Structures are given as C-alpha cells and as structure tokens.
C-alpha cells in the first residue's frame, strides 16, 4: 500500500548554490512505497537532494558523487554512524542514468536472516508458515534502478553467500522455489560503518564479496574531521526546528559557538540534529548560552580543550575507563548496557576495552567465567562475551593473570596455572 514518507536528510546542501524554493529548509518529502518489513522503494525520481557544507571534505564528496553517477559500477560507502551515507547513495542514484527508475533501500542490520532474504528475493506460497501467497522481493521492484544495502557489514556469512550468488548471476530465486524466477538489472550501492578488511581478517566477512562490492570506494569523514561545517549545519537545523515548532529563533553567543566547535560529535550529524531540536524545544529566551547546551557537550568540550597535552588526553581516557569499571563493579550495571554501546559507537577504543577486561581479569585471577559475573552478565553470556572480545581482537591471555607463588630449589618464582 502506498504511503507518504518524510525522509529527513542528514546532509543537505547549499554548496556553490542557494536554497531552492522547493527545499528552503533543507529537507525533501517524496511519495514512496514502503515494505511492511523495512525495505523502502522510492516512488518519485529526481528528488532534489543536496549537501550542506563548505569544507574541503564536502567538495571532495561532491566530486566523488559525480564520478560515481557517471557509471553503473558498484559503490561501497564507508563511514561512521550518522555521517549521511544514505544521503550520498540517494545523490548518486538521482544524478545517474537510472534516476528515472526506483531506488530500493534495505537496512541489513534491522532484519534477521530469513526475513532479509525474503525481503530481497521474495518467496513463493507455502514456503514457510504465513506465506499465503507469492511475494516479489524488493530487488524485483526496482528494474533498471538502484539497490542500496545499508549496514552490509552486519550480514551473516550465510546471507553474504546468497548476495554473492546474486551478484554473479543477476538471477532472483525466491525462497521455496526450485529454480530461478527472473533476472534483474539493478545497480548495487552498499554502506557500512565497519572496517571490512579487519572483518575479513577476523573471519566475519567474505573476501570475495568484498572484492565484488569494492569497485568505487567512497569514505564519508566524521563531523569532527570537518568541524568548519558545524556552524552551517547547526544554523540550518536550528532554523528548521524553530519554524517547525513555531519557536522564536535564539541568537547563539560566541561562547556557545566555541563550545559546539570544540565538541567531537561522536554521533556526527545525527547527534547535531538532535541537539538542535532539543535546544529548540527547551528554549527559554532569545539567547542561546553555553549553560543551555547538554552536559555531554559542556564536559566533552572542556576535555577537548585540555587535550592539547598528551598527558592530559591520556588522563581523560584513563578516567573514562575507571568510570565505566566503577559503574559495573560498584553500581551493578551490566557490561552490555555500559561498555558495549560505547564501543560499538566507536566512543571507546580497543585499548580502552582491553584495559577494562584487564581490570576484570585482575579481580578474578584470570577467570573469564568470573569476569562475566563480575561485569553483571548472566552466566549463559559466557560464550557471547568471549566471542565479542575475540571478534574485536580484545581477548587477553588469561595465563598472565593466573599466577601463584610456588617454591622450587631455586627459590620462589611465579608458576602459571592451567586454564
């Protein structure tokens, strides 16, 4: 059933040109057909989508977009969460020869294997419980168009094999069918926030699939690497939300600008947009002061200002590890709720995670099962915890923590205890 969906763009643009009347506030609405399970098919071609920024990084992205749009080659877009990878994919599609056809967007991380395969390739009646009729997949809904697979790095190895087969043959075989149903001509654009070469080395991503996808490579830098774009983006979103919520637009003090520019924005443009809306809704006067900013920005900006000296920066990182460890050991918070989200959003480094694990092993004499309990995880999470550490190269050898004093003829020396 056709619905109207508003797509908020994390990167909108006025580079080299002014806003058009159709997109005065930097966002665009278009009609779309939306799958019940999470895939989206654009229904109106050539929607006006632009990038917002004046940095050299934005100009480079625009050049790369034009280059990618001139061909039908596969594109792999990399970058942290919230930098605007989907917007770049839409720009490539809109500027390509396939712009008159549909754009299919699928979030691979949001669907389990069986559902993802059904969404992409479709299924035949009776292939599984609830399959009461034949259903075409999203790939069939975009003939001569573009398919955008977001978070492709989260695909299981089984789905990677299925995708690889499709890339090699272009054939669609619906779930439950005994032969190929049809062939489709689509362009594939993929995106991920993972480091795929490292995932390949860890055995989590197929090397042959990577080579298939990595024809044109585009990297979208995080907002902290193009901090000169912050004022333009913040002004844009502040004006947008003030108009939307019918709030008088406040004036931003120089101190507030300095604090916004000093913050590292780990959530990138998505975080900046949310902050702009939050400040709009909490606005209490005509001036936006530093005290109005969220606590994490005030605190993060102070640390960043002091980070000019390596010793201070190291102390800040050590303080974060100590704080997270204390939250688990003293306040009973779970590892999955405290450490895991920060690490997955790249706000915590591998060295930080190793230090946290080291603290746990020191407390438990090198016993990973006790570490699981110490970090307030259920005992059945033991294998999951070890798998997570090994996947990200943060598993520490337990032997160095399991030492007891033993006596020999040569005197006292540490003896390793078998694990």
């Amino acid at each position: 059933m056709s619905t109207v969906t508003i797509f908020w763009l994390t990167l909108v643009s006025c580079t080299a040109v002014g806003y058009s009347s159709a997109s005065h506030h930097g966002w665009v609405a278009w009609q779309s057909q939306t799958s019940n399970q999470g895939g989206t098919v654009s229904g109106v071609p050539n929607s006006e989508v632009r990038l917002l920024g004046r940095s050299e990084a934005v100009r480079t992205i625009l050049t790369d977009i034009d280059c990618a749009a001139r061909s039908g080659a596969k594109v792999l877009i990399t970058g942290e969460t919230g930098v605007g990878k989907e917007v770049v994919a839409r720009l490539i599609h809109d500027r390509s020869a396939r712009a008159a056809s549909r754009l299919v967007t699928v979030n691979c991380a949001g669907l389990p294997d069986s559902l993802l395969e059904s969404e992409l390739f479709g299924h035949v009646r009776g292939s599984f419980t609830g399959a009461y009729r034949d259903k075409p997949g999203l790939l069939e809904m975009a003939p001569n168009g573009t398919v955008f697979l977001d978070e492709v790095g989260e695909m299981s190895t089984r789905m990677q094999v299925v995708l690889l087969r499709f890339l090699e043959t272009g054939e669609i075989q619906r779930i439950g069918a005994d032969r190929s149903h049809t062939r489709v001509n689509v362009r594939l654009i993929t995106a991920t926030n993972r480091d795929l070469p490292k995932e390949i080395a860890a055995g989590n991503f197929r090397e042959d699939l990577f080579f298939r996808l990595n024809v044109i490579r585009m990297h979208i830098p995080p907002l902290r690497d193009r901090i000169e774009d912050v004022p333009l983006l913040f002004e844009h979103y502040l004006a947008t939300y003030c108009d939307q919520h019918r709030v008088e637009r406040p004036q931003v003090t120089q101190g507030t600008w300095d604090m916004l520019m000093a913050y590292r924005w780990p959530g990138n443009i998505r975080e900046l947009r949310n902050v702009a809306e939050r400040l709009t809704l909490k606005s209490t006067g005509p001036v936006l002061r530093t005290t109005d900013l969220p606590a994490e920005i005030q605190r993060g900006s102070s640390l960043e200002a002091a980070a000019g000296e390596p010793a201070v920066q190291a102390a800040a990182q050590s303080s974060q590890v100590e704080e997270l460890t204390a939250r688990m050991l003293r306040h009973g918070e779970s590892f999955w709720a405290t450490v895991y989200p920060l690490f997955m959003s790249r706000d915590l480094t591998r060295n930080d995670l190793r230090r946290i694990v080291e603290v746990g092993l020191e407390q438990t004499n090198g016993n990973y099962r006790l570490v699981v309990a110490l970090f307030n995880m259920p005992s059945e999470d033991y294998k999951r915890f070890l798998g997570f550490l090994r996947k990200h190269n943060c598993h520490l050898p337990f032997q160095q923590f399991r030492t007891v004093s033993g006596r020999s003829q040569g005197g006292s020396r540490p003896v390793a205890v078998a694990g």
Side-chain angles (χ1 to χ4, degrees):
M1 180 177 180
S2 179
T3 59
V4 176
T5 304
I6 303 295
F7 290 95
W8 282 92
L9 307 182
T10 53
L11 292 175
V12 281
S13 149
C14 63
T15 8
V17 293
Y19 289 115
S20 70
S21 58
S23 59
H24 177 69
H25 297 306
W27 56 269
V28 182
W30 60 86
Q31 287 190 339
S32 69
Q33 292 178 331
T34 305
S35 163
N36 293 332
Q37 303 296 347
T40 301
V41 183
S42 170
V44 177
N46 300 318
S47 301
E48 186 174 4
V49 181
R50 296 181 177 181
L51 294 178
L52 182 61
R54 54 172 64 98
S55 64
E56 181 62 32
V58 170
R59 289 192 287 270
T60 300
I61 293 170
L62 287 169
T63 301
D64 291 343
I65 288 172
D66 289 336
C67 176
R70 287 195 294 268
S71 74
K74 300 175 185 66
V75 182
L76 175 61
I77 306 173
T78 60
E80 296 179 6
T81 299
V83 295
K85 297 186 289 293
E86 181 175 352
V87 177
V88 172
R90 292 185 181 279
L91 281 168
I92 293 173
H93 171 76
D94 289 347
R95 298 184 183 187
S96 72
R98 297 176 181 265
S101 299
R102 288 172 168 176
L103 170 67
V104 173
T105 299
V106 181
N107 187 338
C108 300
L111 298 171
D113 266 13
S114 57
L115 197 53
L116 179 59
E117 184 176 2
S118 175
E119 283 298 297
L120 288 176
F121 301 101
H123 59 256
V124 298
R125 178 182 178 184
S127 55
F128 54 84
T129 303
Y132 299 116
R133 59 181 178 84
D134 290 356
K135 175 184 173 295
L138 291 172
L139 294 173
E140 294 182 55
M141 298 172 66
N144 303 312
T146 303
V147 176
F148 175 56
L149 299 182
D150 197 8
E151 303 298 349
V152 71
E154 308 303 318
M155 270 189 177
S156 68
T157 51
R158 177 187 169 278
M159 273 306 301
Q160 291 174 35
V161 172
V162 174
L163 178 60
L164 181 63
R165 180 183 179 280
F166 166 72
L167 294 177
E168 291 174 345
T169 66
E171 296 178 344
I172 298 291
Q173 182 169 342
R174 295 178 178 177
I175 295 178
D178 57 1
R179 62 178 62 88
S180 297
H181 173 71
T182 186
R183 294 175 65 92
V184 294
N185 174 21
V186 296
R187 181 188 196 172
L188 192 67
I189 301 178
T190 55
T192 182
N193 61 0
R194 300 280 188 182
D195 187 333
L196 292 186
K198 289 184 178 179
E199 294 296 308
I200 292 170
N204 300 320
F205 200 83
R206 292 182 62 97
E207 188 175 35
D208 48 2
L209 178 58
F210 173 73
F211 290 140
R212 282 278 184 177
L213 301 177
N214 190 34
V215 179
I216 297 177
R217 180 81 165 269
M218 293 182 62
H219 179 72
I220 313 302
L223 188 55
R224 62 181 173 273
D225 289 347
R226 50 188 187 95
I227 207 69
E228 62 269 37
D229 290 335
V230 166
L232 191 61
L233 288 162
F234 187 79
E235 285 276 13
H236 161 73
Y237 285 119
L238 190 65
T240 298
Y241 287 120
C242 284
D243 287 348
Q244 179 182 338
H245 298 292
R246 299 180 181 179
V247 174
E248 181 182 356
R249 181 177 172 183
Q251 296 296 316
V252 183
T253 66
Q254 185 58 48
T256 302
W257 281 125
D258 292 342
M259 194 165 283
L260 290 171
M261 295 279 284
Y263 186 55
R264 288 184 60 80
W265 298 106
N268 294 295
I269 299 172
R270 183 178 295 123
E271 182 184 11
L272 183 145
R273 183 189 67 191
N274 292 341
V275 167
E277 184 172 19
R278 189 188 319 167
L279 292 173
T280 299
L281 296 173
K282 294 177 64 177
S283 178
T284 57
V287 179
L288 186 59
R289 306 182 187 278
T290 56
T291 52
D292 297 321
L293 294 176
E296 63 269 19
I297 293 182
Q298 297 183 41
R299 183 170 58 248
S301 301
S302 300
L303 289 174
E304 187 70 18
E309 300 182 13
V312 175
Q313 188 174 16
Q317 292 173 342
S318 175
S319 175
Q320 184 185 29
V321 169
E322 291 173 359
E323 178 187 353
L324 294 173
T325 305
R327 286 169 60 183
M328 292 187 292
L329 301 187
R330 299 176 189 170
H331 303 294
E333 297 185 27
S334 168
F335 174 89
W336 301 120
T338 305
V339 178
Y340 179 79
L342 289 176
F343 181 79
M344 297 307 293
S345 63
R346 299 174 187 263
D347 295 329
L348 201 66
T349 67
R350 281 187 170 87
N351 286 335
D352 294 335
L353 179 58
R354 292 186 189 107
R355 179 56 191 146
I356 292 172
V357 174
E358 183 179 341
V359 171
L361 290 171
E362 288 172 349
Q363 294 281 333
T364 60
N365 196 33
N367 190 320
Y368 270 104
R369 290 191 181 276
L370 293 181
V371 172
V372 169
L374 184 69
F375 288 171
N376 306 298
M377 293 178 277
S379 58
E380 55 266 24
D381 280 1
Y382 172 69
K383 290 185 178 179
R384 178 191 174 193
F385 179 61
L386 291 189
F388 167 74
L389 295 180
R390 291 190 178 107
K391 176 179 180 180
H392 298 286
N393 196 26
C394 293
H395 184 271
L396 303 179
F398 64 84
Q399 290 87 349
Q400 58 182 307
F401 301 96
R402 288 192 179 184
T403 57
V404 297
S405 295
R407 294 188 177 274
S408 64
Q409 294 179 348
S412 173
R413 64 180 177 87
V415 179
V417 179

